[in-house]
Amino acid sequence: MKFGRKISYQKDCNKLSSNVLESTKEYLSPATLRRVFGFLSTNSNPSRVTLDILSRYIGYKSWEDFNQSQINAESTNQDIIYYWEIIKENSKVISSNTVEHIKIKSGIEFSRTVKRQFTKEFIKGFANSNFPATAIIGPGGYGKSTMLANWYIKWLNKKKKTDDVVLFISAQMLDQFASTDIFIEVWLMRLLGLKPESSFLNGISQNNIQPSGKFILIIDALDEITSQGAKQEKIFKSLVELADKFSMSNNFKLIVSTRLSTWKLLASFCQVKDNWLFTNPDFFTIDGANIPPLNFEEIQNILDNTLNERFSNRILVYEMHPDLKKIISYPYFLQLFIQVYTPEIRNTLNDELAILSEFLKKQVYYAHFSDEKIDILNQIIILSEYGSKLVMKDNLKRVYPIHLKLSGNYYAAYEELISFGILIEETHVDAFGGYSKYVRMANQQLMSMLIAQNLIRKEQGIDSKLFKWIDNNLIDIDLQAKILGTLYKLCYKERLSKPLLDFFKLSPTALSATLSTPTIPTTLQSDIYMRNILIPHYAQQPIARKLLFENNIDFNHIVNSFTLHLKSYLEFSKSDSDKLFANTLLTFAGFISLDTPLGIYHFNLTKNQDPRIIPPTVSGIWFANHIVFEYLLGNGNPSDWIEKAKAYSLTITNSEDRFDFAESILPALILLNRTESFGYFIVFSDKITAPNHRAAMNFLFTKFYRLFIENINITSTENSAIEQIFNLLNPIKSYLAIIMGETLRASYFLSNNNLEATHNNFRNAIELSSIAGYKLVEASLMKDLANNLIKLGEHSKANECMDYVNSLWKLSGFKQMLP
């Protein structure tokens, strides 16, 4: 040792400073040396100049030369493979402990959580990229830790072993590092059992050591560190420096999971933002996440592992209210749904308000700093003038000290609201280049619910005047329709019929906006008592007949709840067009549900009428009814009616109207195995040409034609696309489309010999048909299933399916069996 003894006291730094100056003619102050050896606290690492001088003092050209000498010595004296094996084994122990901790905290039993395909693809892509680091960002309860733990377990147990090392640690371990005076690379090597002076990790960073695999460091839940001030800053700086240091090596990868607010703090230290994959603000969703929410298949997987194991009636995600489906794609909300659901309250499937109420209870009303959180949220509602404008953070700060740590609990309350994704901060740039920070609620449904609750408290209840106040005072704001819809649902749930009987007295503008979404139609699916009060009353009002009955035909529930709508509508119909409208749809309800008497009765009232007096969607149903009647109850050959439908289609000049006509008639052609006629009704498209219902349906019809007429199988990309386009469907006419989509996906998995997935998709299609009461569709699917089972040699199961089909047919009274 050149100095002659260990640096143990501050006075040693004075002596060392003199020795360095005498030996190298370069000066290092005693204060600098005290910081280097830990006698003075610091939140930064020694500068490169300091390290170079100390290296020259002990006989090396530079800090790199010193590092190289250590690597060479280490490589000479120790086998690299030996070091790698130590790291690999010790990392398994540490990572397994991290996983066990996550399992304990899991909201539902960990084994029943979903293994997300996205994680596998994302981490694989990152590991093979040139990026040294990435961050998985999302609000609290977004499933980040569970996602990573599931990925690690699958990686650890995969059959094809690699020499990669994965160290999966909780970010809280970094609190221990923050209290030391060493570099994070040294701390990591000590954590993994290497000797303190090991420069193994430094060797990887400089490509001087080539390990047999990649070193992947995963730091979970960075937002949960307890270090504050200089220690927190040291952690963030060290992680950024770690990414920068390994930017030239492809053998080290850093993954950090955190919430958006903490990521923004970490990102503020990034000089080279391009080192961090997929962290550009453009990638963040409205929830403040750069990872996708759960898709329908993942939600169904979790429901099957939890509720559907406990209860006999299987819950399908496809039968849920569209707003609820969107909410429970956020894993925490799905957990709440699983906690509150029971078969006795099956209407919860159409009640996202129950889930939002439970969320507010747990995260606001009965949470830490509940009073302060309520104050902040209510103030945002007031400052936004009930959602009509953005709220500047400075204006909120003038009311509550949300920016001052030592002024009560408002700072902590605000940070929790931000951290859990209830609130989001946004920076806007004005025309003069000035920056302003705004605060908004992340979830519009939550915002509209809080506004509704605020107004109810203010007015001390819900009455017709409150609806009218919203109509008159919240004009031209996007949230007006959502607030009215939320109040409608609250009244309906509490059976407050008086305000709802007056609902269609609101202005046409407000009514049109509110009825442009399915909130009220889907609300009316539940509670027969309320339906029996409201529907006959609405059926007498012209504006309600137009907006509720004609513009919102609920094909999903046409066999059950919407039948009452149609019968009430028909009772008060005076014109031929109104009568034909209702009778045509009631005929469809009778045929698709195998209620033959209902279908024939209303068919006889429509068969000699002129379809030109009804909208294209209903005229398509009129022709479909004739085609089905001719095949099942007539001469068994519907060709004449198919030709008449083709000719009628050509008379429709508007392209959207023509497609609506086609959408109503093509399912009948699928049932009767007449898919070859599709080209007369639609223009085939193998791409989703627009993010809307019509484009989604056109894609599905095209795939049916390609599969059954051209014998072109569904591709992997198309299979994924079909699942994604379910989100584009009109939520009150989506069931037939989803049944078609699940059937197509079943064919894809069958062609790839994935029998389990084939079974799941076919089961989804059959069960959704049963839920909707589409017995005609269910019989067709069961017949197809029987044919597939025969091909697989499952003759006894095939016979069971056909026995069920035959029993349905016997009760229906139809002459012909489906092809």
Side-chain angles (χ1 to χ4, degrees):
M1 181 182 289
K2 180 151 185 179
F3 183 62
R5 64 173 181 270
K6 184 179 179 180
I7 308 295
S8 303
Y9 304 99
Q10 292 195 36
K11 63 182 181 181
D12 292 334
C13 295
N14 297 332
K15 179 65 174 175
L16 178 59
S17 176
S18 300
N19 281 4
V20 169
L21 179 62
E22 182 179 341
S23 176
T24 66
K25 310 304 180 188
E26 296 176 283
Y27 179 66
L28 287 177
S29 72
T32 297
L33 293 171
R34 289 189 193 108
R35 282 192 290 271
V36 170
F37 292 102
F39 298 114
L40 288 178
S41 61
T42 179
N43 58 11
S44 61
N45 295 321
S47 70
R48 180 58 180 273
V49 173
T50 298
L51 295 173
D52 281 341
I53 292 173
L54 286 173
S55 298
R56 285 192 285 272
Y57 171 67
I58 58 175
Y60 295 93
K61 296 178 182 178
S62 64
W63 174 243
E64 280 96 347
D65 187 32
F66 170 75
N67 274 327
Q68 185 62 52
S69 70
Q70 299 303 299
I71 293 163
N72 291 339
E74 200 162 8
S75 299
T76 301
N77 299 323
Q78 299 290 341
D79 189 351
I80 292 173
I81 296 174
Y82 171 71
Y83 276 92
W84 198 248
E85 288 304 314
I86 291 176
I87 291 172
K88 184 184 288 187
E89 292 307 310
N90 289 343
S91 69
K92 287 179 182 178
V93 175
I94 297 169
S95 300
S96 296
N97 288 335
T98 304
V99 169
E100 290 305 313
H101 182 65
I102 291 171
K103 285 181 178 180
I104 293 169
K105 295 195 301 179
S106 179
I108 60 176
E109 188 178 336
F110 185 82
S111 62
R112 301 183 183 278
T113 58
V114 69
K115 286 73 178 171
R116 303 195 65 183
Q117 182 68 18
F118 160 79
T119 326
K120 176 184 174 182
E121 294 171 355
F122 179 78
I123 295 180
K124 182 180 178 181
F126 166 61
N128 293 327
S129 75
N130 293 322
F131 291 88
T134 189
I136 291 175
I137 302 162
Y142 216 70
K144 303 181 295 296
S145 299
T146 301
M147 187 175 77
L148 288 169
N150 271 317
W151 176 86
Y152 177 78
I153 292 169
K154 191 170 184 178
W155 174 85
L156 189 65
N157 296 325
K158 66 182 179 181
K159 293 178 182 177
K160 187 179 179 181
K161 300 296 182 181
T162 71
D163 281 324
D164 292 345
V165 168
V166 176
L167 176 59
F168 184 21
I169 65 172
S170 166
Q172 290 178 324
M173 294 183 73
L174 295 176
D175 289 319
Q176 303 170 15
F177 158 69
S179 300
T180 69
D181 297 315
I182 58 178
F183 294 105
I184 194 167
E185 303 95 296
V186 177
W187 179 79
L188 284 169
M189 289 299 94
R190 289 183 180 179
L191 186 67
L192 289 169
L194 296 190
K195 56 187 180 182
E197 64 271 21
S198 171
S199 56
F200 190 76
L201 206 54
N202 281 325
I204 294 175
S205 72
Q206 296 170 24
N207 291 319
N208 294 315
I209 290 178
Q210 292 298 324
S212 51
K214 287 183 170 62
F215 185 97
I216 301 173
L217 172 61
I218 303 176
I219 300 175
D220 183 46
L222 187 63
D223 44 275
E224 293 181 5
I225 62 172
T226 58
S227 299
Q228 297 291 325
K231 289 184 177 179
Q232 182 192 75
E233 188 174 316
K234 178 183 177 182
I235 291 172
F236 291 163
K237 277 188 174 180
S238 296
L239 293 177
V240 170
E241 289 171 1
L242 200 59
D244 294 345
K245 183 171 185 176
F246 286 90
S247 60
M248 301 304 293
S249 169
N250 206 31
N251 292 314
F252 178 90
K253 301 290 179 178
L254 171 64
I255 302 172
V256 174
S257 81
T258 185
R259 299 177 185 181
L260 180 60
S261 54
T262 306
W263 165 252
K264 286 181 176 179
L265 290 174
L266 175 66
S268 67
F269 294 98
C270 292
Q271 297 297 318
V272 187
K273 298 188 186 300
D274 288 344
N275 281 341
W276 292 79
L277 173 68
F278 211 62
T279 56
N280 187 300
D282 293 341
F283 295 134
F284 295 127
T285 67
I286 195 169
D287 293 320
N290 69 343
I291 55 176
L294 297 171
N295 61 37
F296 287 177
E297 194 167 280
E298 290 167 338
I299 296 171
Q300 189 65 57
N301 186 305
I302 294 172
L303 292 176
D304 287 343
N305 289 339
T306 53
L307 294 178
N308 290 336
E309 284 193 358
R310 299 207 299 267
F311 305 122
S312 56
N313 290 327
R314 186 167 180 250
I315 301 167
L316 279 180
V317 66
Y318 302 125
E319 65 177 307
M320 292 179 173
H321 186 287
D323 288 342
L324 179 60
K325 283 188 285 192
K326 185 176 180 181
I327 285 173
I328 64 173
S329 65
Y330 188 145
Y332 180 72
F333 285 119
L334 178 56
Q335 175 192 324
L336 293 179
F337 174 76
I338 290 167
Q339 290 173 359
V340 303
Y341 176 82
T342 65
E344 291 75 29
I345 55 167
R346 191 172 178 83
N347 61 352
T348 302
L349 296 180
N350 288 323
D351 186 8
E352 77 282 4
L353 299 185
I355 309 304
L356 291 175
S357 294
E358 195 67 22
F359 175 75
L360 288 172
K361 283 181 190 176
K362 295 198 172 190
Q363 296 302 326
V364 179
Y365 300 132
Y366 299 128
H368 291 303
F369 319 121
S370 58
D371 290 342
E372 290 82 359
K373 288 179 179 177
I374 293 168
D375 286 344
I376 291 168
L377 292 174
N378 282 332
Q379 192 61 41
I380 288 174
I381 289 170
I382 293 167
L383 290 172
S384 72
E385 295 179 7
Y386 298 99
S388 63
K389 65 179 187 180
L390 293 170
V391 176
M392 288 189 67
K393 186 177 180 181
D394 283 345
N395 292 339
L396 187 59
K397 283 156 59 174
R398 291 188 183 99
V399 183
Y400 296 115
I402 58 170
H403 56 304
L404 301 174
K405 292 183 181 181
L406 303 179
S407 298
N409 295 325
Y410 282 100
Y411 174 85
Y414 181 78
E415 290 300 312
E416 283 199 11
L417 290 171
I418 289 285
S419 182
F420 219 87
I422 299 173
L423 297 182
I424 283 183
E425 291 184 350
E426 294 177 338
T427 302
H428 291 199
V429 183
D430 61 29
F432 305 102
Y435 287 79
S436 299
K437 190 164 283 188
Y438 292 86
V439 183
R440 65 171 175 84
M441 292 188 198
N443 186 294
Q444 277 203 330
Q445 291 159 297
L446 191 63
M447 174 77 166
S448 64
M449 185 171 179
L450 286 167
I451 289 174
Q453 290 176 345
N454 184 288
L455 290 170
I456 291 167
R457 282 195 301 271
K458 182 180 176 183
E459 299 298 320
Q460 298 182 336
I462 308 177
D463 55 21
S464 300
K465 291 180 181 178
L466 180 55
F467 281 93
K468 198 66 181 173
W469 186 91
I470 295 168
D471 186 8
N472 293 333
N473 292 279
L474 301 184
I475 302 169
D476 296 330
I477 72 164
D478 293 338
L479 276 177
Q480 186 194 54
K482 281 190 175 294
I483 297 166
L484 287 171
T486 300
L487 281 176
Y488 191 101
K489 292 196 76 161
L490 290 171
C491 282
Y492 196 88
K493 195 173 180 181
E494 298 301 320
R495 293 189 168 181
L496 302 175
S497 58
K498 179 62 174 68
L500 300 188
L501 288 168
D502 294 336
F503 182 75
F504 282 93
K505 293 179 181 178
L506 298 177
S507 69
T509 302
L511 289 172
S512 295
T514 307
L515 270 297
S516 67
T517 66
T519 299
I520 290 174
T522 50
T523 300
L524 290 164
Q525 293 165 9
S526 62
D527 196 337
I528 296 173
Y529 171 80
M530 287 295 287
R531 226 167 45 229
N532 288 339
I533 292 173
L534 297 174
I535 295 303
H537 179 73
Y538 292 159
Q540 302 174 58
Q541 301 178 52
I543 192 167
R545 288 171 67 86
K546 179 68 177 175
L547 296 177
L548 180 60
F549 295 85
E550 297 170 16
N551 290 1
N552 280 288
I553 303 171
D554 190 352
F555 283 100
N556 288 355
H557 298 87
I558 199 164
V559 172
N560 38 66
S561 61
F562 199 68
T563 299
L564 173 64
H565 291 50
L566 292 170
K567 289 180 176 179
S568 296
Y569 180 93
L570 184 60
E571 182 182 351
F572 297 100
S573 293
K574 297 177 182 178
S575 69
D576 289 342
S577 61
D578 286 1
K579 291 176 183 178
L580 184 58
F581 173 88
N583 282 316
T584 298
L585 292 171
L586 286 167
T587 302
F588 174 80
F591 285 163
I592 202 169
S593 64
L594 298 184
D595 186 346
T596 313
L598 177 70
I600 292 175
Y601 173 77
H602 290 282
F603 178 77
N604 288 331
L605 295 173
T606 67
K607 63 181 180 180
N608 296 320
Q609 300 295 309
D610 185 352
R612 288 176 295 182
I613 63 174
I614 50 180
T617 295
V618 186
S619 62
I621 295 293
W622 187 87
F623 278 99
N625 289 342
H626 281 76
I627 292 168
V628 170
F629 180 89
E630 197 63 49
Y631 185 91
L632 299 177
L633 289 161
N635 62 15
N637 185 0
S639 296
D640 286 348
W641 276 106
I642 293 174
E643 291 303 317
K644 289 177 183 179
K646 291 177 185 176
Y648 187 89
S649 176
L650 293 174
T651 67
I652 304 173
T653 55
N654 181 281
S655 61
E656 291 186 351
D657 288 346
R658 187 174 180 185
F659 185 83
D660 291 344
F661 176 86
E663 182 186 347
S664 296
I665 201 170
L666 295 189
L669 300 184
I670 291 173
L671 281 171
L672 301 182
N673 199 20
R674 296 299 182 95
T675 317
E676 73 278 356
S677 300
F678 275 23
Y680 292 96
F681 297 98
I682 62 169
V683 177
F684 295 123
S685 174
D686 292 297
K687 295 181 179 180
I688 309 295
T689 55
N692 58 41
H693 175 88
R694 288 189 181 95
M697 291 301 302
N698 199 65
F699 181 81
L700 291 174
F701 287 134
T702 300
K703 293 302 112 185
F704 250 87
Y705 183 85
R706 300 281 190 243
L707 179 63
F708 292 106
I709 302 303
E710 298 180 344
N711 295 315
I712 300 174
N713 286 328
I714 305 299
T715 66
S716 174
T717 301
E718 289 168 343
N719 175 59
S720 299
I722 289 169
E723 185 187 2
Q724 295 304 316
I725 65 175
F726 290 160
N727 288 306
L728 302 177
L729 298 171
N730 183 327
I732 57 175
K733 54 190 297 190
S734 61
Y735 282 3
L736 277 174
I738 292 169
I739 291 165
M740 288 166 54
E742 288 296 275
T743 305
L744 286 168
R745 297 185 70 221
S747 74
Y748 163 76
F749 288 117
L750 184 61
S751 67
N752 286 276
N753 296 317
N754 188 339
L755 298 184
E756 182 180 357
T758 302
H759 169 74
N760 287 338
N761 289 116
F762 230 108
R763 180 176 65 168
N764 288 343
I766 291 170
E767 290 185 353
L768 187 56
S769 301
S770 177
I771 288 166
Y774 299 163
K775 290 186 179 179
L776 184 63
V777 178
E778 187 180 359
S780 177
L781 290 168
M782 292 294 282
K783 196 166 179 288
D784 288 345
L785 179 59
N787 292 332
N788 285 322
L789 288 169
I790 290 171
K791 292 177 184 176
L792 296 171
E794 299 282 352
H795 294 283
S796 61
K797 290 182 180 178
N799 290 335
E800 288 176 12
C801 291
M802 285 310 302
D803 287 343
Y804 178 70
V805 173
N806 290 330
S807 68
L808 289 177
W809 226 248
K810 187 176 180 179
L811 292 172
S812 73
F814 288 142
K815 294 179 183 179
Q816 302 286 338
M817 172 63 80
L818 286 169

